Amino acid sequence: MDALTYLQNMVISYSNLKDSSIILTGIISVSILLVIELFSFVFIRISDKKWNLKQNLLKITLLQSFRIFLRFLIIYLFLMAIKSPEEADYPARLIYRGAELAILSFGIISAVLKMVRVVKKRSPDSTKDFTAGDKLKITSEKSIRIIVFLIVFSLFISQLKREFALELQTELWISLIVIINSILLMIALFFAVEKILPQIQNYMNEHFPSGLSRLFLLIIAGPLKVFIIALFLISIKPVMPEQSKLMDITSKLIEITASAAIIMVLFNFIEIFITRLSKYSELETNSLDKTLIEMIRMIIRVCFIVVFIFLSIRVITGKPLTTLLAGLGIGGLAVALAAQDTLKNFFGSIMIMIDKPFKVGERITGEGYDGTIESIGFRSTRIRTLTGNQVVIPNDKVAQSSIENIGRRQSIRRLTNITITYSTPPEKVELALSIIRGILDNHEGMPQDMPPRVFFNEFNAASLNILVLYWYSPPNYWEFMRFSEEVNLKIMKMFAAEGIEFAFPTYTTYLEQEDGKSLKLDIGDSRLSDGIKLTE
Protein backbone atom coordinates (compact mmCIF):
# COMPACT_ATOMS: atom_id res chain seq x y z
CA MET A 1 0.00 0.00 0.00
CA ASP A 2 2.89 2.33 0.78
CA ALA A 3 4.46 1.65 -2.64
CA LEU A 4 1.15 2.37 -4.40
CA THR A 5 0.73 5.57 -2.43
CA TYR A 6 4.30 6.59 -3.28
CA LEU A 7 3.61 5.96 -6.97
CA GLN A 8 0.41 8.01 -6.85
CA ASN A 9 2.26 10.88 -5.19
CA MET A 10 4.93 10.71 -7.90
CA VAL A 11 2.31 10.91 -10.65
CA ILE A 12 0.55 13.80 -8.92
CA SER A 13 3.81 15.66 -8.36
CA TYR A 14 4.64 15.40 -12.07
CA SER A 15 2.05 18.11 -12.84
CA ASN A 16 0.57 20.75 -10.61
CA LEU A 17 -2.02 21.78 -13.20
CA LYS A 18 -5.68 21.44 -12.48
CA ASP A 19 -7.55 18.51 -13.93
CA SER A 20 -9.42 20.77 -16.34
CA SER A 21 -6.14 22.16 -17.73
CA ILE A 22 -4.73 18.67 -18.20
CA ILE A 23 -7.93 17.55 -19.93
CA LEU A 24 -7.89 20.62 -22.19
CA THR A 25 -4.25 20.00 -23.14
CA GLY A 26 -5.07 16.35 -23.84
CA ILE A 27 -8.02 17.32 -26.05
CA ILE A 28 -5.81 19.69 -28.04
CA SER A 29 -3.14 16.99 -28.47
CA VAL A 30 -5.66 14.37 -29.55
CA SER A 31 -7.23 16.83 -31.99
CA ILE A 32 -3.86 17.54 -33.58
CA LEU A 33 -3.20 13.81 -33.77
CA LEU A 34 -6.58 13.16 -35.44
CA VAL A 35 -5.99 15.90 -38.01
CA ILE A 36 -2.59 14.43 -38.87
CA GLU A 37 -4.04 10.92 -39.11
CA LEU A 38 -6.87 12.13 -41.37
CA PHE A 39 -4.49 14.04 -43.60
CA SER A 40 -2.11 11.07 -43.88
CA PHE A 41 -4.95 8.64 -44.60
CA VAL A 42 -6.38 10.83 -47.40
CA PHE A 43 -2.92 11.40 -48.86
CA ILE A 44 -2.10 7.68 -48.89
CA ARG A 45 -5.45 6.85 -50.51
CA ILE A 46 -4.82 9.39 -53.26
CA SER A 47 -1.27 8.07 -53.67
CA ASP A 48 -2.53 4.50 -54.09
CA LYS A 49 -4.64 5.61 -57.04
CA LYS A 50 -2.10 7.86 -58.75
CA TRP A 51 1.11 5.98 -57.96
CA ASN A 52 2.17 2.48 -58.80
CA LEU A 53 2.32 0.80 -55.38
CA LYS A 54 5.33 -1.37 -56.20
CA GLN A 55 7.35 1.50 -57.60
CA ASN A 56 6.41 3.97 -54.85
CA LEU A 57 6.27 1.65 -51.86
CA LEU A 58 9.24 3.43 -50.31
CA LYS A 59 7.55 6.84 -50.50
CA ILE A 60 4.36 5.54 -48.90
CA THR A 61 6.33 3.75 -46.19
CA LEU A 62 8.27 6.92 -45.35
CA LEU A 63 4.96 8.71 -44.88
CA GLN A 64 3.64 5.93 -42.66
CA SER A 65 6.82 5.96 -40.59
CA PHE A 66 6.47 9.71 -40.13
CA ARG A 67 2.90 9.20 -38.89
CA ILE A 68 4.11 6.70 -36.28
CA PHE A 69 6.80 9.08 -35.07
CA LEU A 70 4.32 11.95 -34.82
CA ARG A 71 2.10 9.90 -32.52
CA PHE A 72 4.91 9.44 -30.01
CA LEU A 73 6.08 13.03 -30.51
CA ILE A 74 2.64 14.40 -29.61
CA ILE A 75 2.56 12.27 -26.47
CA TYR A 76 6.04 13.57 -25.58
CA LEU A 77 4.95 17.18 -26.17
CA PHE A 78 1.80 16.59 -24.11
CA LEU A 79 3.89 15.39 -21.14
CA MET A 80 6.20 18.38 -21.52
CA ALA A 81 3.21 20.76 -21.63
CA ILE A 82 1.68 19.52 -18.39
CA LYS A 83 4.98 19.08 -16.59
CA SER A 84 5.32 20.94 -13.32
CA PRO A 85 7.84 23.79 -13.35
CA GLU A 86 8.85 22.91 -9.81
CA GLU A 87 11.77 20.54 -9.43
CA ALA A 88 11.01 17.18 -7.80
CA ASP A 89 13.40 15.08 -5.81
CA TYR A 90 16.24 13.21 -7.57
CA PRO A 91 14.77 9.73 -7.99
CA ALA A 92 11.44 11.13 -9.15
CA ARG A 93 13.04 13.55 -11.60
CA LEU A 94 15.12 10.69 -13.08
CA ILE A 95 12.02 8.55 -13.52
CA TYR A 96 10.02 11.42 -15.06
CA ARG A 97 12.73 12.35 -17.52
CA GLY A 98 13.44 8.70 -18.30
CA ALA A 99 9.78 8.12 -19.17
CA GLU A 100 9.72 11.17 -21.45
CA LEU A 101 12.86 10.16 -23.28
CA ALA A 102 11.70 6.54 -23.48
CA ILE A 103 8.51 7.63 -25.29
CA LEU A 104 10.55 9.69 -27.77
CA SER A 105 13.02 6.82 -28.24
CA PHE A 106 10.24 4.32 -28.88
CA GLY A 107 8.87 6.68 -31.50
CA ILE A 108 12.18 6.78 -33.33
CA ILE A 109 12.64 3.00 -33.11
CA SER A 110 9.07 2.29 -34.28
CA ALA A 111 9.42 4.65 -37.25
CA VAL A 112 12.70 3.10 -38.35
CA LEU A 113 11.43 -0.46 -37.93
CA LYS A 114 8.43 0.45 -40.08
CA MET A 115 10.79 1.47 -42.86
CA VAL A 116 12.84 -1.69 -42.40
CA ARG A 117 9.71 -3.80 -42.92
CA VAL A 118 9.62 -2.55 -46.49
CA VAL A 119 12.72 -4.63 -47.11
CA LYS A 120 10.94 -7.75 -45.97
CA LYS A 121 7.85 -7.03 -48.06
CA ARG A 122 9.93 -6.40 -51.17
CA SER A 123 12.19 -9.45 -50.72
CA PRO A 124 11.57 -12.37 -53.10
CA ASP A 125 9.76 -15.61 -52.42
CA SER A 126 11.77 -18.48 -51.01
CA THR A 127 11.10 -20.49 -54.16
CA LYS A 128 12.94 -18.00 -56.35
CA ASP A 129 16.68 -17.53 -56.75
CA PHE A 130 18.06 -14.67 -54.70
CA THR A 131 19.98 -11.96 -56.47
CA ALA A 132 22.71 -9.93 -54.80
CA GLY A 133 20.21 -7.14 -54.19
CA ASP A 134 17.75 -9.51 -52.51
CA LYS A 135 20.43 -10.91 -50.21
CA LEU A 136 21.47 -7.36 -49.34
CA LYS A 137 17.91 -6.48 -48.34
CA ILE A 138 17.45 -9.54 -46.14
CA THR A 139 20.83 -9.14 -44.42
CA SER A 140 20.27 -5.41 -43.90
CA GLU A 141 16.85 -5.92 -42.34
CA LYS A 142 18.22 -8.16 -39.61
CA SER A 143 21.20 -5.95 -38.82
CA ILE A 144 19.52 -2.54 -38.96
CA ARG A 145 16.93 -3.45 -36.33
CA ILE A 146 19.56 -4.33 -33.76
CA ILE A 147 21.83 -1.41 -34.61
CA VAL A 148 19.01 1.16 -34.52
CA PHE A 149 17.81 -0.09 -31.14
CA LEU A 150 21.31 0.02 -29.66
CA ILE A 151 22.05 3.48 -31.09
CA VAL A 152 18.79 4.96 -29.80
CA PHE A 153 19.36 3.33 -26.43
CA SER A 154 22.88 4.85 -26.36
CA LEU A 155 21.42 8.28 -27.06
CA PHE A 156 18.81 7.70 -24.35
CA ILE A 157 21.45 6.84 -21.73
CA SER A 158 23.76 9.66 -22.86
CA GLN A 159 21.00 12.23 -22.51
CA LEU A 160 20.18 11.01 -19.00
CA LYS A 161 23.85 11.15 -18.01
CA ARG A 162 24.14 14.67 -19.42
CA GLU A 163 21.10 15.96 -17.53
CA PHE A 164 21.87 14.09 -14.30
CA ALA A 165 25.66 14.25 -14.40
CA LEU A 166 26.13 14.95 -10.70
CA GLU A 167 23.58 12.43 -9.46
CA LEU A 168 24.71 9.57 -11.74
CA GLN A 169 28.44 10.23 -11.39
CA THR A 170 28.82 7.74 -8.57
CA GLU A 171 26.21 5.25 -9.80
CA LEU A 172 27.91 2.00 -10.89
CA TRP A 173 24.86 0.56 -12.63
CA ILE A 174 24.70 3.34 -15.21
CA SER A 175 28.38 2.80 -16.10
CA LEU A 176 27.80 -0.93 -16.54
CA ILE A 177 24.81 -0.26 -18.81
CA VAL A 178 26.84 2.13 -20.97
CA ILE A 179 29.77 -0.31 -21.30
CA ILE A 180 27.54 -3.32 -22.07
CA ASN A 181 25.52 -1.34 -24.61
CA SER A 182 28.73 -0.06 -26.27
CA ILE A 183 30.15 -3.58 -26.50
CA LEU A 184 26.91 -4.89 -28.04
CA LEU A 185 26.80 -1.99 -30.47
CA MET A 186 30.42 -2.58 -31.52
CA ILE A 187 29.70 -6.29 -32.10
CA ALA A 188 26.59 -5.43 -34.13
CA LEU A 189 28.48 -2.91 -36.25
CA PHE A 190 31.31 -5.41 -36.85
CA PHE A 191 28.73 -7.98 -37.92
CA ALA A 192 27.13 -5.44 -40.25
CA VAL A 193 30.50 -4.62 -41.82
CA GLU A 194 31.35 -8.31 -42.27
CA LYS A 195 27.95 -9.30 -43.68
CA ILE A 196 26.44 -6.23 -45.33
CA LEU A 197 29.49 -4.77 -47.09
CA PRO A 198 30.18 -7.98 -49.11
CA GLN A 199 26.52 -8.02 -50.14
CA ILE A 200 26.77 -4.37 -51.17
CA GLN A 201 29.93 -5.24 -53.09
CA ASN A 202 28.14 -8.03 -54.98
CA TYR A 203 25.22 -5.72 -55.68
CA MET A 204 27.57 -3.10 -57.08
CA ASN A 205 29.30 -5.72 -59.23
CA GLU A 206 25.95 -6.66 -60.78
CA HIS A 207 24.64 -3.14 -61.40
CA PHE A 208 27.74 -0.92 -61.56
CA PRO A 209 30.66 -3.00 -62.94
CA SER A 210 33.02 -0.04 -63.19
CA GLY A 211 31.37 2.57 -61.00
CA LEU A 212 32.83 4.79 -58.33
CA SER A 213 30.57 3.20 -55.71
CA ARG A 214 32.60 -0.03 -55.79
CA LEU A 215 35.82 1.94 -55.31
CA PHE A 216 34.26 3.76 -52.38
CA LEU A 217 33.42 0.45 -50.70
CA LEU A 218 36.94 -0.88 -51.27
CA ILE A 219 38.36 2.27 -49.71
CA ILE A 220 36.23 2.28 -46.53
CA ALA A 221 35.91 -1.48 -45.87
CA GLY A 222 39.05 -1.79 -43.72
CA PRO A 223 39.10 1.67 -42.08
CA LEU A 224 35.45 1.30 -41.08
CA LYS A 225 36.34 -1.41 -38.57
CA VAL A 226 39.03 0.77 -37.01
CA PHE A 227 36.55 3.65 -36.88
CA ILE A 228 34.06 1.40 -35.05
CA ILE A 229 36.70 0.74 -32.40
CA ALA A 230 37.22 4.51 -32.07
CA LEU A 231 33.46 4.98 -31.62
CA PHE A 232 33.43 2.30 -28.94
CA LEU A 233 36.18 4.08 -27.03
CA ILE A 234 34.36 7.40 -27.40
CA SER A 235 31.13 5.87 -26.06
CA ILE A 236 32.75 4.44 -22.91
CA LYS A 237 34.93 7.49 -22.22
CA PRO A 238 32.20 9.38 -20.27
CA VAL A 239 31.99 6.60 -17.66
CA MET A 240 35.73 6.75 -16.98
CA PRO A 241 36.85 8.45 -13.75
CA GLU A 242 37.88 12.05 -14.33
CA GLN A 243 41.62 12.88 -14.27
CA SER A 244 42.51 9.19 -14.08
CA LYS A 245 45.20 7.22 -15.89
CA LEU A 246 42.50 5.08 -17.51
CA MET A 247 40.84 8.21 -18.92
CA ASP A 248 44.18 9.40 -20.29
CA ILE A 249 44.88 6.04 -21.96
CA THR A 250 41.39 5.97 -23.47
CA SER A 251 41.79 9.49 -24.88
CA LYS A 252 45.12 8.57 -26.48
CA LEU A 253 43.69 5.37 -27.95
CA ILE A 254 40.82 7.38 -29.46
CA GLU A 255 43.27 9.74 -31.18
CA ILE A 256 45.43 6.88 -32.43
CA THR A 257 42.54 4.80 -33.80
CA ALA A 258 40.90 7.83 -35.42
CA SER A 259 44.22 8.79 -37.04
CA ALA A 260 44.71 5.20 -38.19
CA ALA A 261 41.25 5.14 -39.79
CA ILE A 262 41.89 8.40 -41.68
CA ILE A 263 45.34 7.26 -42.82
CA MET A 264 43.93 3.91 -43.96
CA VAL A 265 41.27 5.67 -46.05
CA LEU A 266 43.91 7.82 -47.77
CA PHE A 267 46.22 4.82 -48.17
CA ASN A 268 43.49 2.64 -49.72
CA PHE A 269 42.51 5.43 -52.10
CA ILE A 270 46.08 5.90 -53.34
CA GLU A 271 46.69 2.13 -53.40
CA ILE A 272 43.67 1.52 -55.66
CA PHE A 273 44.73 4.37 -57.94
CA ILE A 274 48.30 3.04 -58.23
CA THR A 275 47.03 -0.52 -58.77
CA ARG A 276 45.02 0.67 -61.74
CA LEU A 277 48.04 2.52 -63.08
CA SER A 278 50.12 -0.64 -62.65
CA LYS A 279 47.60 -2.70 -64.63
CA TYR A 280 47.50 -0.03 -67.29
CA SER A 281 51.30 -0.02 -67.51
CA GLU A 282 51.23 -3.73 -68.45
CA LEU A 283 49.47 -2.88 -71.72
CA GLU A 284 51.69 -2.61 -74.77
CA THR A 285 50.02 0.64 -75.91
CA ASN A 286 50.96 2.69 -72.85
CA SER A 287 54.00 4.81 -72.06
CA LEU A 288 54.05 4.25 -68.30
CA ASP A 289 56.95 2.46 -66.64
CA LYS A 290 55.69 -0.27 -64.32
CA THR A 291 58.96 -0.26 -62.41
CA LEU A 292 58.58 3.43 -61.60
CA ILE A 293 54.97 2.89 -60.52
CA GLU A 294 55.97 0.07 -58.17
CA MET A 295 58.74 2.24 -56.71
CA ILE A 296 56.27 5.08 -56.10
CA ARG A 297 53.93 2.59 -54.44
CA MET A 298 56.67 1.48 -52.04
CA ILE A 299 57.69 5.07 -51.22
CA ILE A 300 54.07 6.02 -50.48
CA ARG A 301 53.66 3.00 -48.21
CA VAL A 302 56.75 3.93 -46.24
CA CYS A 303 55.60 7.56 -45.98
CA PHE A 304 52.20 6.53 -44.59
CA ILE A 305 53.83 4.23 -42.05
CA VAL A 306 56.24 6.97 -40.96
CA VAL A 307 53.40 9.50 -40.63
CA PHE A 308 51.34 7.11 -38.52
CA ILE A 309 54.34 6.34 -36.28
CA PHE A 310 55.00 10.06 -35.77
CA LEU A 311 51.36 10.77 -34.95
CA SER A 312 51.28 7.86 -32.51
CA ILE A 313 54.49 9.01 -30.80
CA ARG A 314 53.13 12.55 -30.57
CA VAL A 315 49.90 11.33 -28.97
CA ILE A 316 51.68 9.02 -26.52
CA THR A 317 54.43 11.41 -25.48
CA GLY A 318 52.44 14.63 -25.80
CA LYS A 319 55.42 16.38 -27.40
CA PRO A 320 55.03 18.66 -30.44
CA LEU A 321 56.14 17.53 -33.90
CA THR A 322 58.97 20.09 -33.98
CA THR A 323 60.64 18.41 -31.02
CA LEU A 324 60.22 14.99 -32.62
CA LEU A 325 61.66 16.24 -35.92
CA ALA A 326 64.67 17.71 -34.13
CA GLY A 327 65.28 14.37 -32.46
CA LEU A 328 64.86 12.68 -35.81
CA GLY A 329 67.66 14.81 -37.28
CA ILE A 330 70.15 13.63 -34.67
CA GLY A 331 68.93 10.06 -34.80
CA GLY A 332 68.89 10.13 -38.61
CA LEU A 333 72.58 10.95 -38.71
CA ALA A 334 73.39 7.97 -36.50
CA VAL A 335 71.19 5.69 -38.59
CA ALA A 336 72.80 6.96 -41.81
CA LEU A 337 76.28 6.11 -40.50
CA ALA A 338 75.17 2.67 -39.35
CA ALA A 339 73.32 1.83 -42.57
CA GLN A 340 75.70 2.99 -45.28
CA ASP A 341 75.27 -0.11 -47.42
CA THR A 342 71.48 0.12 -47.21
CA LEU A 343 71.59 3.78 -48.22
CA LYS A 344 73.92 2.95 -51.11
CA ASN A 345 71.44 0.40 -52.36
CA PHE A 346 68.57 2.86 -51.91
CA PHE A 347 70.29 5.55 -53.96
CA GLY A 348 71.29 2.86 -56.44
CA SER A 349 67.60 2.06 -56.89
CA ILE A 350 66.89 5.77 -57.45
CA MET A 351 69.60 5.87 -60.14
CA ILE A 352 68.03 2.84 -61.78
CA MET A 353 64.67 4.63 -61.78
CA ILE A 354 66.19 7.78 -63.29
CA ASP A 355 68.45 6.11 -65.87
CA LYS A 356 65.97 3.27 -66.64
CA PRO A 357 68.47 0.72 -68.00
CA PHE A 358 65.77 -1.94 -67.70
CA LYS A 359 62.29 -2.51 -66.31
CA VAL A 360 60.32 -5.39 -64.87
CA GLY A 361 59.77 -8.17 -67.42
CA GLU A 362 62.81 -7.40 -69.60
CA ARG A 363 65.63 -9.87 -70.20
CA ILE A 364 69.13 -8.64 -69.41
CA THR A 365 72.67 -9.95 -69.03
CA GLY A 366 74.96 -8.53 -66.40
CA GLU A 367 77.15 -9.57 -63.47
CA GLY A 368 77.51 -12.96 -65.17
CA TYR A 369 73.76 -13.67 -65.18
CA ASP A 370 71.25 -13.94 -68.00
CA GLY A 371 67.58 -13.70 -67.06
CA THR A 372 64.36 -11.70 -66.72
CA ILE A 373 63.83 -8.86 -64.24
CA GLU A 374 61.23 -9.92 -61.66
CA SER A 375 61.26 -6.92 -59.31
CA ILE A 376 63.23 -3.80 -58.44
CA GLY A 377 63.17 -2.97 -54.75
CA PHE A 378 64.75 -0.41 -52.47
CA ARG A 379 67.68 -2.71 -51.67
CA SER A 380 68.05 -5.20 -54.51
CA THR A 381 66.97 -6.30 -57.95
CA ARG A 382 65.68 -9.83 -58.46
CA ILE A 383 66.47 -11.72 -61.68
CA ARG A 384 64.96 -15.03 -62.78
CA THR A 385 67.71 -16.76 -64.78
CA LEU A 386 67.12 -18.98 -67.81
CA THR A 387 67.79 -22.01 -65.60
CA GLY A 388 64.86 -21.03 -63.37
CA ASN A 389 66.88 -19.82 -60.38
CA GLN A 390 66.29 -16.45 -58.71
CA VAL A 391 69.30 -14.17 -58.29
CA VAL A 392 69.27 -11.20 -55.89
CA ILE A 393 71.76 -8.44 -56.76
CA PRO A 394 72.21 -5.29 -54.60
CA ASN A 395 71.11 -2.16 -56.44
CA ASP A 396 74.40 -0.42 -55.72
CA LYS A 397 76.20 -3.18 -57.62
CA VAL A 398 73.65 -3.13 -60.45
CA ALA A 399 73.94 0.65 -60.86
CA GLN A 400 77.74 0.41 -61.24
CA SER A 401 77.85 -2.61 -63.59
CA SER A 402 77.50 -2.90 -67.36
CA ILE A 403 74.06 -4.14 -68.38
CA GLU A 404 73.12 -5.59 -71.75
CA ASN A 405 69.36 -5.22 -72.21
CA ILE A 406 68.30 -8.06 -74.47
CA GLY A 407 64.63 -7.26 -73.96
CA ARG A 408 64.95 -3.95 -75.82
CA ARG A 409 66.58 -5.29 -78.99
CA GLN A 410 64.62 -4.58 -82.15
CA SER A 411 65.72 -7.73 -83.94
CA ILE A 412 67.77 -10.92 -83.50
CA ARG A 413 70.94 -11.27 -85.54
CA ARG A 414 72.38 -14.57 -86.73
CA LEU A 415 76.00 -14.79 -87.82
CA THR A 416 77.14 -18.20 -89.00
CA ASN A 417 79.86 -19.70 -91.21
CA ILE A 418 79.17 -22.40 -93.79
CA THR A 419 82.26 -24.28 -94.90
CA ILE A 420 82.68 -26.28 -98.13
CA THR A 421 85.59 -28.43 -99.26
CA TYR A 422 88.66 -27.14 -101.13
CA SER A 423 87.83 -29.51 -103.95
CA THR A 424 84.76 -27.40 -104.77
CA PRO A 425 85.31 -25.65 -108.15
CA PRO A 426 84.74 -21.87 -108.37
CA GLU A 427 81.54 -22.35 -110.36
CA LYS A 428 79.98 -24.34 -107.55
CA VAL A 429 81.21 -21.84 -104.97
CA GLU A 430 79.29 -19.16 -106.84
CA LEU A 431 76.33 -21.56 -107.05
CA ALA A 432 76.46 -22.07 -103.27
CA LEU A 433 76.39 -18.30 -102.75
CA SER A 434 73.41 -17.99 -105.09
CA ILE A 435 71.53 -20.79 -103.28
CA ILE A 436 71.96 -19.17 -99.85
CA ARG A 437 71.08 -15.69 -101.14
CA GLY A 438 67.97 -17.10 -102.81
CA ILE A 439 66.85 -18.79 -99.59
CA LEU A 440 67.30 -15.57 -97.60
CA ASP A 441 65.91 -13.21 -100.25
CA ASN A 442 63.11 -11.16 -98.64
CA HIS A 443 62.87 -13.78 -95.93
CA GLU A 444 60.37 -14.00 -93.09
CA GLY A 445 60.91 -11.35 -90.39
CA MET A 446 63.45 -9.37 -92.42
CA PRO A 447 63.70 -5.69 -91.36
CA GLN A 448 63.43 -3.42 -94.39
CA ASP A 449 66.68 -1.63 -93.58
CA MET A 450 68.62 -4.82 -92.76
CA PRO A 451 68.78 -7.17 -95.78
CA PRO A 452 70.72 -10.45 -95.40
CA ARG A 453 74.46 -10.56 -96.19
CA VAL A 454 76.18 -13.60 -97.81
CA PHE A 455 79.89 -13.51 -98.78
CA PHE A 456 82.73 -15.92 -99.66
CA ASN A 457 85.07 -14.28 -97.20
CA GLU A 458 87.83 -16.63 -96.08
CA PHE A 459 90.20 -19.46 -96.97
CA ASN A 460 90.26 -21.57 -93.87
CA ALA A 461 92.91 -24.15 -93.10
CA ALA A 462 90.65 -27.01 -94.15
CA SER A 463 87.71 -25.35 -95.96
CA LEU A 464 86.33 -22.49 -98.00
CA ASN A 465 84.30 -20.20 -95.74
CA ILE A 466 80.95 -18.58 -96.60
CA LEU A 467 79.80 -15.90 -94.14
CA VAL A 468 76.00 -15.74 -93.63
CA LEU A 469 74.43 -12.83 -91.75
CA TYR A 470 70.71 -12.03 -91.38
CA TRP A 471 68.31 -10.35 -88.91
CA TYR A 472 64.89 -11.47 -87.67
CA SER A 473 62.14 -9.18 -86.37
CA PRO A 474 60.18 -9.02 -84.08
CA PRO A 475 62.72 -10.46 -81.64
CA ASN A 476 60.77 -13.56 -80.69
CA TYR A 477 63.48 -16.06 -79.85
CA TRP A 478 61.54 -19.25 -80.50
CA GLU A 479 60.17 -18.00 -83.82
CA PHE A 480 63.72 -17.07 -84.74
CA MET A 481 64.90 -20.60 -83.91
CA ARG A 482 62.12 -22.12 -86.01
CA PHE A 483 63.06 -19.95 -89.00
CA SER A 484 66.77 -20.74 -88.61
CA GLU A 485 65.96 -24.44 -88.63
CA GLU A 486 64.05 -24.03 -91.90
CA VAL A 487 67.00 -22.15 -93.44
CA ASN A 488 69.45 -24.87 -92.38
CA LEU A 489 67.33 -27.67 -93.83
CA LYS A 490 66.88 -25.85 -97.15
CA ILE A 491 70.64 -25.27 -97.46
CA MET A 492 71.39 -28.95 -96.75
CA LYS A 493 68.86 -30.20 -99.31
CA MET A 494 69.90 -27.83 -102.10
CA PHE A 495 73.64 -28.38 -101.53
CA ALA A 496 73.10 -32.12 -101.66
CA ALA A 497 71.11 -31.78 -104.91
CA GLU A 498 73.93 -29.75 -106.50
CA GLY A 499 76.74 -32.00 -105.23
CA ILE A 500 78.26 -29.37 -102.99
CA GLU A 501 80.00 -30.97 -100.05
CA PHE A 502 80.31 -29.50 -96.59
CA ALA A 503 83.84 -29.43 -95.20
CA PHE A 504 84.90 -30.70 -91.86
CA PRO A 505 88.31 -30.36 -90.15
CA THR A 506 90.88 -32.60 -91.95
CA TYR A 507 94.66 -32.97 -91.79
CA THR A 508 97.15 -34.33 -94.40
CA THR A 509 100.23 -36.02 -92.93
CA TYR A 510 103.35 -36.77 -95.08
CA LEU A 511 105.74 -39.53 -93.88
CA GLU A 512 109.25 -40.05 -95.35
CA GLN A 513 112.48 -41.83 -94.46
CA GLU A 514 115.78 -40.25 -93.60
CA ASP A 515 117.07 -40.75 -97.17
CA GLY A 516 114.12 -38.79 -98.56
CA LYS A 517 112.25 -41.78 -99.84
CA SER A 518 108.61 -41.92 -98.96
CA LEU A 519 107.30 -44.62 -96.71
CA LYS A 520 104.80 -47.15 -97.80
CA LEU A 521 102.20 -48.31 -95.31
CA ASP A 522 100.79 -51.79 -95.61
CA ILE A 523 97.81 -52.10 -93.31
CA GLY A 524 97.59 -55.78 -92.66
CA ASP A 525 95.18 -57.94 -90.80
CA SER A 526 94.41 -56.70 -87.33
CA ARG A 527 95.05 -60.20 -86.06
CA LEU A 528 98.79 -59.87 -86.84
CA SER A 529 101.14 -59.03 -84.06
CA ASP A 530 101.50 -55.34 -85.02
CA GLY A 531 98.71 -54.96 -87.55
CA ILE A 532 100.79 -52.49 -89.64
CA LYS A 533 103.78 -53.34 -91.86
CA LEU A 534 106.23 -50.81 -93.18
CA THR A 535 107.84 -51.58 -96.59
CA GLU A 536 110.17 -49.59 -98.74
Side-chain angles (χ1 to χ4, degrees), residues 314-349:
R314 183 190 66 81
V315 171
I316 294 172
T317 60
K319 295 181 180 180
L321 285 177
T322 54
T323 304
L324 296 177
L325 291 175
L328 179 65
I330 300 173
L333 180 60
V335 172
L337 294 175
Q340 293 184 25
D341 292 339
T342 302
L343 291 176
K344 286 181 181 179
N345 292 324
F346 174 73
F347 286 111
S349 65

Side-chain angles (χ1 to χ4, degrees), residues 45-162:
R45 294 288 295 180
I46 295 174
S47 301
D48 289 342
K49 294 180 181 180
K50 291 186 177 181
W51 295 346
N52 186 332
L53 183 60
K54 293 183 178 179
Q55 296 179 353
N56 297 276
L57 182 60
L58 183 59
K59 297 178 181 179
I60 297 173
T61 305
L62 288 174
L63 181 60
Q64 293 175 345
S65 302
F66 184 66
R67 287 171 58 197
I68 294 173
F69 175 71
L70 282 178
R71 295 170 187 172
F72 287 91
L73 181 61
I74 290 175
I75 297 174
Y76 173 77
L77 295 176
F78 169 75
L79 293 177
M80 296 297 293
I82 66 172
K83 186 176 181 181
S84 173
E86 299 177 358
E87 292 291 338
D89 295 335
Y90 159 64
R93 285 192 301 112
L94 179 62
I95 295 174
Y96 297 156
R97 188 55 179 161
E100 293 168 359
L101 293 176
I103 291 173
L104 190 61
S105 301
F106 281 125
I108 297 173
I109 293 173
S110 301
V112 174
L113 293 183
K114 178 63 178 179
M115 288 188 289
V116 172
R117 291 193 188 98
V118 180
V119 177
K120 188 174 182 180
K121 290 181 180 179
R122 298 183 67 180
S123 60
D125 299 333
S126 59
T127 56
K128 298 180 181 179
D129 295 333
F130 286 2
T131 62
D134 299 328
K135 294 179 180 179
L136 175 60
K137 295 173 186 176
I138 296 172
T139 307
S140 301
E141 178 203 2
K142 297 177 181 179
S143 302
I144 290 175
R145 290 184 178 182
I146 300 174
I147 294 173
V148 167
F149 176 80
L150 293 174
I151 290 176
V152 174
F153 186 73
S154 298
L155 296 175
F156 170 77
I157 296 296
S158 299
Q159 186 63 28
L160 286 180
K161 280 185 62 62
R162 190 178 297 110

Side-chain angles (χ1 to χ4, degrees), residues 1-9:
M1 187 66 180
D2 294 338
L4 182 59
T5 303
Y6 179 74
L7 182 61
Q8 290 176 350
N9 293 333

Side-chain angles (χ1 to χ4, degrees), residues 471-508:
W471 292 264
Y472 187 88
S473 180
N476 186 314
Y477 183 75
W478 300 115
E479 290 296 319
F480 166 74
M481 293 297 293
R482 177 193 57 79
F483 173 73
S484 298
E485 179 184 82
E486 293 177 359
V487 170
N488 293 341
L489 291 174
K490 287 180 181 179
I491 292 175
M492 288 185 65
K493 291 177 181 178
M494 298 185 74
F495 273 28
E498 297 296 337
I500 301 173
E501 296 181 357
F502 291 99
F504 50 88
T506 58
Y507 297 93
T508 302

Side-chain angles (χ1 to χ4, degrees), residues 424-491:
T424 306
E427 295 79 8
K428 286 199 174 183
V429 173
E430 293 179 352
L431 179 60
L433 294 172
S434 299
I435 290 174
I436 298 174
R437 287 169 180 164
I439 293 173
L440 296 177
D441 183 35
N442 199 22
H443 65 82
E444 172 192 340
M446 182 189 77
Q448 295 299 320
D449 57 341
M450 295 180 180
R453 309 292 184 184
V454 181
F455 298 101
F456 170 40
N457 72 323
E458 194 68 58
F459 291 95
N460 296 331
S463 62
L464 303 174
N465 192 80
I466 299 176
L467 174 69
V468 179
L469 185 67
Y470 62 86
W471 292 264
Y472 187 88
S473 180
N476 186 314
Y477 183 75
W478 300 115
E479 290 296 319
F480 166 74
M481 293 297 293
R482 177 193 57 79
F483 173 73
S484 298
E485 179 184 82
E486 293 177 359
V487 170
N488 293 341
L489 291 174
K490 287 180 181 179
I491 292 175

